[in-house]
Amino acid sequence: MATSLNSAIDTSVWILGDQLSADWPAWLAEQGHTPANTRVVMIESLAKLRSRPWHRHKLTLVLAAMRHFADELCGEGWQVDYREAPSFDSGLHAHRAEFPTRNLIVMRPSTYDGAQFVTALARREISVIVWPNRMFLATPDDLGTVRSPLLESFYRKMRKRTGLLMDGDEPAGGRWNHDADNRQPPRKPWRKGDTSDVPAVPRTPPDAITRAVQAKVGAIAGVWGASDGFSLPVTRTGAWAFFERFVEQRLAGFGPYEDAMVDGQPVLFHSLISPLLNIGLLDRDTVCAAVDAAYRDGRAPLNSAEGFIRQVIGWREFVYACYWREMPGLSKANALGASRDLPKYYWEPSDGAPLDKLACLSASVRGVWNSGYTHHIQRLMVLSNFALLADVSPQQLNEWFLCTYLDAYDWVVTPNVVGMGTYGDGGVVGTKPYAAGANYLNKMGTHCERCTFDPKKRIGERACPFNSLYWDFIARHAEQLGKNPRTSMPVMALRKMKPADVDALRQQARAFRNTL
């Protein structure tokens, strides 16, 4: 896609693969940049593609979206130098050699390592101009001065700032948070395998550009995940149509069932737009405005609209601000001293493996293998919860999430996994460890219906491992958990148990961990 040299162009702007915002022309115009004096450069770095065992679908999404985005810019009159290069560094040097412009504009990357690269680039190249990142609403200053900022106060600040679901200075409906209405367990028919009332997620057949990307990805050694089944949109038009289907068909059910886990339904009523939002194909403000309008028009109940908006301008922005306030220390945090290796099953799900017998865990891991996606409760209360209880290294779990999920980037994964999922930060992102036994999984999910293990049993061959692992976790960290008002109750319950029962539970937990 490289264009011929135009001496009138004195500025290049490097657009990254997770910055595919439709607002780029407007942002450039604000600073006096037009197609007549500015060239866009985009780079597919082979080193980046080979740097980790990325999910095939993740690479397909990003590369196909980048190529379509470049075509869109060309259609709008911009000159685009699209390069496949050994590395970002070599690609930029080749671009500057062919197009020796005075300035290179880069929007600050969303990740710490990316920002470090750009900082080093600016030191080497005198004419590099680093713009603030315009893909996010919040900054670390929005968290206030306390070490453990509360999401609720942050979220209210974002609601007031954006005006979303606001009636003047008050929240629509008189309440800021409808989370209490959004914790319904699965419906009875779902427990029997009848999910006919759950709308199907739309599928986008790969076009020629996407198929070419799939061939490229397939030739990269060490990639992870299923080679077929990719069906997400990779254009802005396709992404918007995909989102509109969610608003029309699944938004109403999203609120009450956003925490429910249903066998065979990895998406259920969730939007599945996070992979598209995190690379810029969809815009935060536009999707939130559409959901606000759906509530105002009577097309969606308030609890569903509020639950969606809280996820986007609340939690998503909150973890971004936490990430930038706590890095680089957050990536290495391990407050509970967890040290065991991540079970091989996470990387290699196979029939007959000990963890394959755990229906909820098997469904979650295999779901990620097949599509690069599960919704947030499977991530937190199955995949992360199991690793937390099993004393798995937060860093190893974090690496797995980063590689395997379509929407995973360091800014969102590290606060969610090292912070909330494994309590590695000691209570900065989340105020307590999200540890749970089988009772929660059985209440909020349907996987126990077909599981080898009995969620009501604590001891014995058929006892669910989540139960013994949970009580062993409480016992190992009783002193620390007992000081936290949000976790003191299970510690008190443990101390009321018979010592022999506690010993039996802990022995069962140790025996199970040894199978991993």
Side-chain angles (χ1 to χ4, degrees):
M1 296 182 188
T3 60
S4 60
L5 181 63
N6 183 340
S7 59
I9 292 180
D10 64 357
T11 300
S12 293
V13 55
W14 179 24
I15 298 181
L16 307 182
D18 63 347
Q19 297 177 350
L20 309 181
S21 172
D23 290 330
W24 268 108
W27 294 339
L28 290 166
E30 288 175 6
Q31 307 299 322
H33 299 288
T34 68
N37 61 24
T38 304
R39 177 181 284 106
V40 172
V41 57
M42 299 178 71
I43 301 169
E44 290 182 12
S45 164
L46 186 58
K48 182 68 172 179
L49 302 182
R50 290 174 173 171
S51 64
R52 284 183 164 96
W54 304 109
H55 200 298
R56 290 177 175 87
H57 292 194
K58 183 173 189 173
L59 295 183
T60 299
L61 171 65
V62 175
L63 296 184
M66 285 176 64
R67 294 184 182 189
H68 278 285
F69 185 71
D71 284 351
E72 289 176 17
L73 291 176
C74 288
E76 296 172 7
W78 294 88
Q79 297 188 54
V80 180
D81 178 19
Y82 195 99
R83 292 182 177 269
E84 298 177 65
S87 66
F88 289 126
D89 227 347
S90 63
L92 287 171
H93 277 83
H95 170 78
R96 299 296 293 274
E98 186 173 353
F99 305 109
T101 51
R102 288 192 303 112
N103 302 308
L104 175 66
I105 292 173
V106 185
M107 184 162 67
R108 190 183 77 162
S110 60
T111 66
Y112 182 82
D113 286 347
Q116 292 292 100
F117 175 84
V118 167
T119 299
L121 180 69
R123 291 194 186 107
R124 296 195 309 269
E125 305 281 350
I126 298 175
S127 56
V128 175
I129 302 168
V130 183
W131 281 6
N133 194 302
R134 303 182 72 161
M135 306 288 288
F136 295 90
L137 177 67
T139 70
D141 290 341
D142 290 311
L143 298 173
T145 58
V146 296
R147 172 167 166 75
S148 299
L150 292 176
L151 170 64
E152 187 63 27
S153 57
F154 173 90
Y155 169 53
R156 293 184 185 189
K157 182 185 294 186
M158 295 301 107
R159 285 273 294 275
K160 292 175 181 177
R161 182 176 299 177
T162 61
L164 290 164
L165 293 181
M166 296 294 294
D167 292 333
D169 294 331
E170 298 298 320
R175 288 164 50 195
W176 291 101
N177 189 319
H178 291 258
D179 197 35
D181 302 324
N182 292 352
R183 296 171 179 166
Q184 292 189 30
R187 297 170 181 167
K188 289 183 179 180
W190 298 348
R191 293 191 178 276
K192 298 178 180 179
D194 180 7
T195 57
S196 57
D197 58 346
V198 179
V201 177
R203 301 179 63 84
T204 304
D207 60 8
I209 290 177
T210 304
R211 290 194 297 272
V213 166
Q214 288 175 311
K216 175 176 180 173
V217 170
I220 299 172
V223 288
W224 191 85
S227 57
D228 57 1
F230 179 81
S231 61
L232 282 177
V234 293
T235 66
R236 199 167 315 285
T237 300
W240 183 251
F242 184 86
F243 170 71
E244 285 189 313
R245 283 280 294 275
F246 159 72
V247 173
E248 294 168 4
Q249 299 182 356
R250 302 200 307 283
L251 175 59
F254 168 72
Y257 297 107
E258 66 176 289
D259 286 2
M261 298 176 286
V262 178
D263 202 13
Q265 293 287 338
V267 177
L268 200 60
F269 290 100
H270 286 253
S271 68
L272 191 50
I273 67 163
S274 53
L276 311 177
L277 193 64
N278 286 356
I279 62 174
L281 281 189
L282 289 175
D283 171 75
R284 172 200 65 237
D285 295 337
T286 306
V287 298
C288 286
V291 169
D292 187 308
Y295 159 68
R296 305 285 182 183
D297 296 345
R299 292 177 288 125
L302 179 56
N303 64 308
S304 288
E306 189 275 320
F308 177 90
I309 287 173
R310 176 160 26 93
Q311 290 290 330
V312 178
I313 67 164
W315 186 252
R316 182 175 183 268
E317 295 287 338
F318 179 75
V319 298
Y320 181 76
C322 285
Y323 173 82
W324 279 105
R325 192 182 76 169
E326 299 298 322
M327 284 295 284
L330 181 62
S331 64
K332 299 177 181 178
N334 190 357
L336 298 179
S339 59
R340 298 181 71 93
D341 289 337
L342 183 71
K344 182 180 179 181
Y345 186 79
Y346 277 66
W347 286 111
E348 300 177 15
S350 57
D351 296 339
L355 290 184
D356 203 51
K357 298 176 183 178
L358 269 170
C360 61
L361 190 68
S362 171
S364 297
V365 173
R366 290 176 183 273
V368 183
W369 170 272
N370 289 331
S371 67
Y373 180 85
T374 60
H375 70 66
H376 72 283
I377 294 298
Q378 290 166 295
R379 302 185 200 204
L380 177 64
M381 301 309 300
V382 179
L383 295 165
S384 294
N385 180 33
F386 182 84
L388 172 69
L389 300 182
D391 196 38
V392 169
S393 158
Q395 284 66 42
Q396 290 195 27
L397 181 66
N398 198 52
E399 179 71 9
W400 182 80
F401 268 93
L402 181 62
C403 293
T404 62
Y405 272 86
L406 298 185
D407 53 9
Y409 296 88
D410 195 44
W411 65 265
V412 63
V413 168
T414 299
N416 272 292
V417 176
V418 176
M420 188 179 192
T422 61
Y423 201 66
D425 64 0
V428 175
V429 177
T431 56
K432 70 168 186 174
Y434 278 81
N439 181 57
Y440 175 89
L441 301 172
N442 188 31
K443 175 185 176 182
M444 296 306 299
T446 68
H447 298 94
C448 295
E449 310 287 334
R450 65 170 180 85
C451 190
T452 303
F453 300 105
D454 186 339
K456 297 180 181 179
K457 292 184 180 296
R458 295 182 178 183
I459 300 294
E461 289 186 4
R462 291 207 59 232
C464 178
F466 274 96
N467 287 329
S468 59
L469 289 173
Y470 173 77
W471 288 110
D472 181 67
F473 172 82
I474 298 298
R476 282 187 286 119
H477 302 290
E479 182 177 356
Q480 185 172 351
L481 299 178
K483 298 175 182 177
N484 186 332
R486 299 196 67 195
T487 55
S488 59
M489 288 186 64
V491 174
M492 289 189 287
L494 179 76
R495 289 170 178 164
K496 293 178 181 179
M497 291 183 186
K498 296 178 180 179
D501 292 341
V502 175
D503 288 343
L505 283 166
R506 300 199 67 185
Q507 288 177 20
Q508 177 126 344
R510 285 193 291 269
F512 182 79
R513 279 201 301 269
N514 288 337
T515 69
L516 303 181

